[in-house]
Structure formats: C-alpha cells, structure tokens
C-alpha cells in the first residue's frame, strides 16, 4: 500500500568531519554545488575548497575521503596502487596494513559498526580486488558504510596481458566496476576531471540512512596524474521522511485493538530508549533478532527471547500461550536467520512493519497481512509515543523468559555452556568490551546463552555469515573503538582468516576466544542430525597459543573448566593482542536445530533427529 509522508529538511554539517544524517527514507536530495574559480596561488580560503594544483589524483582522493569523515583505512599494498597507498598513509586517515584483503574488508565492516563512521578498504589489482569481494558482500548485507579503493590496469595496457591485469578483459564489468547488487555506487576514475562528481556521489551516499558500499577503481597511471581543477565545497540538504499523521493514527488504531508484541532488529539499534518506553507504556512483549541482541535489555521482565538461529524456546512458548494480535516489527528483514519463516510467528492480525528500506516489509512473509511503513525506526517511534502516554497504573502480564539449563558438575573437556557462563561474568558483565561471535556453533552458543543488556555490545553476521568475518573483524572493532573487542570463534574460522599479525603490528587490544574442537562442528553435528553419513568435517587440532606467540601475541591454552575464569580475566586485562585457546568438548549439541529443520523444509534428505534440540523454534 502507498504511504503518505511529511518532509522536513536539515542541512548537513560543513564542519571538517562529515556528520551522518539521522535518517533518509527518501533517496531524492536537494543539493547545490558552489561554482568555484581556480585560485592561482593554490591556497584554500574560507569561501572555497580548492585543491592545490600540485596535488595528484591519489592525494586528492585521500583528502576527499578524510573530509567525508573517514578516519580508518584497512587494506593490503601492491605495486599497482603504490601511489594511492602512499597518499592514504600521508593523510589524516589512519592506515592499517593487513595480511589479507578479505580480512581487511571484514575489519572495515566492524570498524564502521564500532565507530558509526564510514571506513575505507583498499586493495591492489587482480587478486587484491577479488580477495576483498566476500568482505564487501558482507558489508552490503550488514548495512555498513565502506568505500573500497582498488587499483586497475591503465587504459593503454588493457588487453595486453599486463601483470595482474584488472580490466573487462579479465573480470566482468557488471557488478564489479558498476553499481548494482554488490556496490551501491561504483565507478572507474579515468581522469581527474571526474573527482568533483565522484565527491558529490560519495557524500550523498554516505549521508543517507542505512548502509552504503562504494567502489572506486583507479588505474595505476591515473593515480599519479595531476589535479588542475577544484573540488567543490558541498552545500547539501536532504529530506528526512517521516510517516504522516494519518499513518501514525492508523498504527495507533491497529496496536490498540489488542495485545501486541515488538520484534526488534538490528536496524532499530539507534532507538533503544524509544523501544523501551513504548514497551513499558503498553506492556508489549519484546523479542529480538540475533543481530538485535541488547537493543532491548535481555534482563527486562518484558523480554521473551531471541528469535531465529540460536534463539530461545520461550519465544515460541509466548506465541503459543499468549499470542499477540499483531506484531510491530522494527528494523529487521525477518529472513531465515531471524524467523526461519515459521508460520507460528505470524500473529492473527499480521504485522506493522517499519523499515528504512521500502523493499523489506512483506517479503519474508508474503501471505501475512502487513502494514508497511518506510521510516527511520527512531523517528517513527518518537511520533508513535505521542499517542501512548505514560500509564503508571498499567500492569504487564507474566511472560515467559529464556531459561538457562542447569550445568552439571565437571567434565574432562571444557563444555561450551561452561565457557559461555564464564564469558558472561568476565567479559559481558566484567568489562565494556564489544563481543563478536563468528558464524557456526560459536554464533549459536553465544546467541543462545549470553545475556546482553545494552545496544552495540554484540555483533553477529546473519545474512552472509562468512567464516573469518569476526576473526578479522575484531581487529577493526578494537581499533575503531580504541578499546577491547572480543571474538568468539571456531578453530576452523581461526585457521581460515586470522589477522593476529596485524593486531600485533599496531598493538590493537583484540581478544580471540577459540572453541578448539578439531572439527567444523556445526557441519559435523548438522550432518549427523540430518542423517547424512560419510562426510568428514574433522581437522587436525591446532595449537593456537603457539601460533599466536609465533606472531608476537600472547595466549593461554585452557583444557580444564576450573581454569576458564582466570584465563578470561587475563585475556580481558591484557594490553596486547591475546588468544585464548579452549579445548572444547565437541559432543554437546549446539542450539541450532531449527537450522536443520529449515534445511529439511528446503529439500535436504534427512532422517528423524534422535536428540532433543533447544533452539528456536520448538516446532
């Protein structure tokens, strides 16, 4: 259905650092480019933004990115982009030289979420570019703001078998060098004269709500060319779209017809205060997606649990025993990792679905009645709260909550639930560190067992879910927040894409907690649960402390549960990169049974599961 919107305008700051907008639901903008004349002395004055004539394209790009508020660049060097690398290194941007382009891209993604400021990833030609693409795929899916700078082959050399040739002769143009599914904006810089338009396009893209992933491909020869035009000072204004009063009134009517639940997603992370106010004023039950953990405190009496992968059976208990008439969905796509598309999650009256992306509402559950509202979640809630005044006399019915399984006395190996219990005490409650959980069993154990009580403390990747994302991303998170970041990872991921050496070089206080069970255990357990035999997911057990020490980090290997707490306290107190190698018991079944049910529903041949699973949903 078509929504009506009221519009207000707000100027973007002209301070040296770019200020992100509160929201941008409408992709149209009003903007003005000042007509500037070249200043023969090549100096900047208060009314112009003139680049000195002696500046190279690479230096101009570095300056341009710094003025867009970019503070960090993660990448790997190479001859084809030597000039650009040098320009970044001599700019105000802090350059972190990584060990792999994929790791650099993942670090850039998590640096964005740790700082809420756009980040650069940079690569050389050929494999440098292609190695980074998985991380950029994750950036687009996660909603990060990342600008990729890559080198490509200069025009005169294209098609002549240049070293690491990067051109349409060797790579598809569509999708890699053009805007589309992977990049919101992509272009090849063939001349210096393009930079003013590129500057404007980047500024517009980075100012909008939601993610923005851009790719500037700069030929080696162009990088060194001189810039003899000025880059403009941008006087931009943009529209903030908010639902009309008519739309808000419709929402109030629907939500007042009976009890409703609030389903919180990652896109609502800036609206924690408003979500709590709405819940407490109305008595609504609150649940969240895996990425939404902590936006609403998990220790709050109105919190019923996490949905989706690694989620809680208490959510399904609530939906079955105290079903809401409607569910207000805030900033989540309700995709497979969040809902498993379970029909049990569809309330009788359907959804009121708020998202900044108009393509989201109604897609995951196309048959469910859905009122779609395109808006920034925080702005929507501020408008909605005016119609739900505080009611001190209102009472909230008793709601089901996630329950912890009792932990029996000791084991020969460290059980995952014992490790998570210790992480809760030593790291979640005992520090301000951000916690990142890697894809696989690390994701499901952490999501299911940790309890997060405030926003921006917990990070998982659900859509792409690449192994190696958080192993490398923890370096970007710790660097950008100037403090501790802890990655809970599997041994398979740790062997795949570690950036320990990068953390050592820059003394970044990252911590890796490795669930070392000598196998890809999600695959191992999943194949068993699905009744598929013969595939071997085991790997030789590695000594990650020895590996870490060989790179200059420090670490502790833990083989007994009685040693876990002290080791975690040492890790969180360490001022240098730290690896905690935990020899984990591989036999406890991770809370991922609903994933296996989803695979079965999609046609994977299986035999009945013999062991009880505790994952959401219990259907």
């Amino acid at each position: 259905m078509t929504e009506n919107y009221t519009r207000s305008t707000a100027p973007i700051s002209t301070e040296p650092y770019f200020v992100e907008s509160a929201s941008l639901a409408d992709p149209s903008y009003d903007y003005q480019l000042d007509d500037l004349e070249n200043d023969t002395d090549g100096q900047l004055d208060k009314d112009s933004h003139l680049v000195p004539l002696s500046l190279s394209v690479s230096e101009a790009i570095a300056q341009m990115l710094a003025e867009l508020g970019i503070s960090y660049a993660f990448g790997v060097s190479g001859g084809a982009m030597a000039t650009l690398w040098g320009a970044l290194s001599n700019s105000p941007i802090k350059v972190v030289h990584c060990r792999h382009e994929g790791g650099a891209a993942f670090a850039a993604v998590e640096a964005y979420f740790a700082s809420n400021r756009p980040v650069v990833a940079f690569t050389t030609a050929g494999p440098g570019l292609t190695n980074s693409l998985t991380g950029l795929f994750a950036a687009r899916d996660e909603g990060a703001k990342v600008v990729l700078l890559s080198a490509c082959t200069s025009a005169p050399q294209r098609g002549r078998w240049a070293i690491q040739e990067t051109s349409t002769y060797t790579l598809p143009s569509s999708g890699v060098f053009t805007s589309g599914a992977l990049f919101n904006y992509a272009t090849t810089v063939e001349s210096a004269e393009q930079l003013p338009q590129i500057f404007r396009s980047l500024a517009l893209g980075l100012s909008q709500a939601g993610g923005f992933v851009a790719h500037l491909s700069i030929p080696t020869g162009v990088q060194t060319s001189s810039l003899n035009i000025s880059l403009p000072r941008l006087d931009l204004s943009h529209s903030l779209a908010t639902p009309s009063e008519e739309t808000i009134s419709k929402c109030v009517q629907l939500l007042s017809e009976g009890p409703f639940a609030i389903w919180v997603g990652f896109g609502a992370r800036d609206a924690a205060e408003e979500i709590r106010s709405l819940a407490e004023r109305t008595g609504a039950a609150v649940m969240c997606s895996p990425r939404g953990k902590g936006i609403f405190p998990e220790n709050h009496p109105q919190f019923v649990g996490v949905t989706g992968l690694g989620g809680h059976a208490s959510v399904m208990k609530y939906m079955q025993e105290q079903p809401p008439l409607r569910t207000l969905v805030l900033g989540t796509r309700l995709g497979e990792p969040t809902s498993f598309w379970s029909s049990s999650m569809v309330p009788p009256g359907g959804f009121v679905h708020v998202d900044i992306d108009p393509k989201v509402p109604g897609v995951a559950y196309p048959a469910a009645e859905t009122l779609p509202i395109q808006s920034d979640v925080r702005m929507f809630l501020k408008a909605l709260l005016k119609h739900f005044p505080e009611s001190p006399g209102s009472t909230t019915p008793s709601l089901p909550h996630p329950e912890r399984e009792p932990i029996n006395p000791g084991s020969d190996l460290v059980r995952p639930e014992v490790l998570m219990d210790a992480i809760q005490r030593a790291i979640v409650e005992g520090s301000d560190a951000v916690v990142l959980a890697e894809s696989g069993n690390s994701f499901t154990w952490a999501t299911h067992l940790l309890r997060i009580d405030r926003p921006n403390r917990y990070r998982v990747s659900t859509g792409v879910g690449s192994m190696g994302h958080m192993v490398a991303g923890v370096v970007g998170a710790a660097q950008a927040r100037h403090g501790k970041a802890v990655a809970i990872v599997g041994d398979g991921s740790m062997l795949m894409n570690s950036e320990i050496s990068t953390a050592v070089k820059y003394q970044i206080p990252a911590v890796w907690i490795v669930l070392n069970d000598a196998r890809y255990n999600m695959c191992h357990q999943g194949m068993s649960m699905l009744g598929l035999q013969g595939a071997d997911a085991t790997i030789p057990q590695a000594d990650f402390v020895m590996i870490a020490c060989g790179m200059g980090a420090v670490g502790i290997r833990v083989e007994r549960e009685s040693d876990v707490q002290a080791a975690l306290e040492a890790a969180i107190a360490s001022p240098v990169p730290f690896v905690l190698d935990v020899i984990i018991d591989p036999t406890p079944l991770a809370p991922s049974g609903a994933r296996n049910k989803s695979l079965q529903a999609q046609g994977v041949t299986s035999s009945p599961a013999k062991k009880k699973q505790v994952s959401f949903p219990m259907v």
Side-chain angles (χ1 to χ4, degrees):
M1 63 185 295
T2 302
E3 295 297 328
N4 298 317
Y5 301 94
T6 58
R7 305 180 67 177
S8 62
T9 59
I12 292 178
S13 170
T14 56
E15 294 298 316
Y17 288 107
F18 187 84
V19 178
E20 293 190 46
S21 62
S23 70
L24 257 178
D26 190 331
S28 65
Y29 303 90
D30 299 316
Y31 58 84
Q32 174 184 352
L33 296 181
D34 294 334
D35 291 328
L36 303 176
E37 297 181 357
N38 288 348
D39 186 342
T40 55
D41 64 4
Q43 300 296 315
L44 293 170
D45 60 46
K46 64 179 182 179
D47 296 320
S48 67
H49 186 198
L50 184 63
V51 176
L53 298 181
S54 60
L55 223 58
S56 70
V57 165
S58 292
E59 291 167 331
I61 288 173
Q63 176 179 309
M64 173 180 73
L65 295 171
E67 296 204 11
L68 289 175
I70 292 173
S71 299
Y72 293 101
F74 298 84
V76 181
S77 60
M81 52 85 65
T83 304
L84 185 59
W85 182 33
L88 288 171
S89 300
N90 288 285
S91 77
I93 297 172
K94 168 70 174 178
V95 173
V96 178
H97 191 231
C98 299
R99 303 297 168 266
H100 191 271
E101 293 86 358
F106 287 130
V109 172
E110 295 310 315
Y112 167 73
F113 288 118
S115 65
N116 201 33
R117 298 180 67 162
V119 181
V120 158
F122 62 90
T123 75
T124 192
L129 171 59
T130 57
N131 284 345
S132 72
L133 293 182
T134 301
L136 276 301
F137 176 30
R140 179 71 183 265
D141 188 83
E142 293 289 313
K145 287 184 166 71
V146 177
V147 178
L148 171 66
L149 304 179
S150 75
C152 68
T153 304
S154 299
Q157 283 75 48
R158 293 172 194 165
R160 297 173 60 195
W161 300 287
I163 293 174
Q164 296 181 330
E165 176 158 342
T166 305
S167 68
T168 54
Y169 288 92
T170 58
L171 289 172
S173 174
S174 179
V176 178
F177 301 103
T178 60
S179 306
L182 182 56
F183 297 108
N184 299 93
Y185 170 75
T187 191
T188 300
V189 184
E190 299 287 11
S191 71
E193 285 69 26
Q194 293 174 258
L195 290 186
Q197 175 65 20
I198 290 170
F199 188 14
R200 186 191 68 170
S201 296
L202 289 178
L204 292 173
L206 292 172
S207 72
Q208 62 187 315
F212 180 76
V213 182
H215 178 200
L216 302 187
S217 178
I218 307 118
T220 303
V222 174
Q223 293 174 37
T224 58
S225 61
S226 296
L227 192 69
N228 54 14
I229 60 171
S230 61
L231 292 179
R233 177 183 295 277
L234 300 182
D235 179 16
L236 300 175
S237 61
H238 62 278
S239 297
L240 300 177
T242 60
S244 66
E245 279 300 319
E246 179 184 358
T247 300
I248 292 294
S249 296
K250 178 66 172 177
C251 292
V252 172
Q253 175 193 336
L254 294 178
L255 298 178
S256 300
E257 290 176 352
F260 70 93
I262 303 173
W263 200 343
V264 179
F266 188 60
R269 62 190 180 278
D270 295 327
E273 181 179 343
E274 290 77 14
I275 293 169
R276 182 165 183 163
S277 293
L278 180 63
E280 292 177 349
R281 293 183 190 186
T282 62
V286 182
M287 51 196 169
C288 73
S289 70
R291 289 202 302 163
K293 273 176 74 73
I295 295 172
F296 189 83
E298 293 191 81
N299 58 5
H300 194 284
Q302 288 171 246
F303 182 72
V304 298
V306 179
T307 66
L309 188 61
H312 301 124
S314 52
V315 174
M316 200 54 57
K317 182 179 181 181
Y318 164 72
M319 294 298 295
Q320 292 169 349
E321 297 180 359
Q322 303 178 45
L325 176 62
R326 290 185 174 85
T327 296
L328 175 61
V329 180
L330 302 174
T332 169
R333 293 170 289 199
L334 299 184
E336 185 180 10
T338 294
S339 69
F340 290 112
W341 305 308
S342 170
S343 60
S344 300
M345 295 302 296
V346 181
F351 301 110
V352 176
H353 197 153
V354 183
D355 202 278
I356 197 67
D357 186 346
K359 299 185 294 296
V360 166
V363 172
Y365 287 101
E369 184 175 343
T370 301
L371 174 65
I373 300 172
Q374 183 191 358
S375 176
D376 172 78
V377 172
R378 187 165 183 258
M379 295 175 66
F380 167 81
L381 290 175
K382 282 183 174 294
L384 190 68
L385 282 168
K386 296 176 183 178
H387 299 267
F388 287 98
E390 295 185 40
S391 303
S394 64
T395 59
T396 300
S398 178
L399 296 168
H401 306 293
E403 296 182 359
R404 291 184 179 275
E405 295 285 332
I407 299 175
N408 297 321
S411 168
D412 291 338
L413 298 174
V414 179
R415 289 165 292 175
E417 56 266 43
V418 172
L419 176 60
M420 295 302 151
D421 186 62
I423 290 173
Q424 178 73 36
R425 296 193 306 271
I427 294 174
V428 176
E429 298 170 7
S431 79
D432 68 347
V434 63
V435 177
L436 306 88
E438 187 69 274
S439 296
N441 279 2
S442 301
F443 176 117
T444 57
W445 283 117
T447 299
H448 191 75
L449 293 178
L450 297 183
R451 299 291 182 263
I452 310 297
D453 62 0
R454 62 182 189 269
N456 304 315
R457 284 290 312 274
Y458 187 73
R459 277 284 300 144
V460 290
S461 171
T462 53
V464 174
S466 173
M467 293 176 64
H469 182 138
M470 299 306 175
V471 168
V474 67
V475 174
Q479 175 70 55
R481 73 187 301 265
H482 306 290
K484 284 284 182 180
V486 177
I488 303 171
V489 304
D491 50 348
S493 290
M494 199 68 177
L495 290 167
M496 185 175 288
N497 194 22
S498 167
E499 289 288 338
I500 295 173
S501 175
T502 303
V504 169
K505 175 178 174 64
Y506 299 99
Q507 289 297 282
I508 297 171
V511 174
W512 291 263
I513 301 173
V514 185
L515 279 64
N516 190 347
D517 52 18
R519 64 198 68 195
Y520 292 104
N521 209 11
M522 175 171 273
C523 297
H524 181 87
Q525 292 181 349
M527 294 295 281
S528 176
M529 289 293 298
L530 292 168
L532 301 174
Q533 306 297 321
D536 182 8
T538 62
I539 56 179
Q541 192 162 70
D543 187 331
F544 292 103
V545 173
M546 184 176 291
I547 294 170
C549 290
M551 293 183 183
V554 297
I556 296 176
R557 193 172 215 196
V558 176
E559 300 180 355
R560 297 179 302 180
E561 291 181 347
S562 58
D563 296 332
V564 170
Q565 189 72 26
L568 286 168
E569 291 171 358
I572 205 67
S574 174
V576 298
F578 195 102
V579 174
L580 188 60
D581 186 7
V582 184
I583 307 303
I584 207 82
D585 185 346
T587 58
L589 291 174
S592 56
R595 168 60 172 162
N596 299 324
K597 291 178 184 293
S598 181
L599 289 172
Q600 290 171 341
Q602 295 174 59
V604 177
T605 304
S606 63
S607 62
K610 297 180 180 179
K611 296 183 179 180
K612 178 183 177 182
Q613 291 285 283
V614 296
S615 179
F616 164 94
M618 294 290 285
V619 294

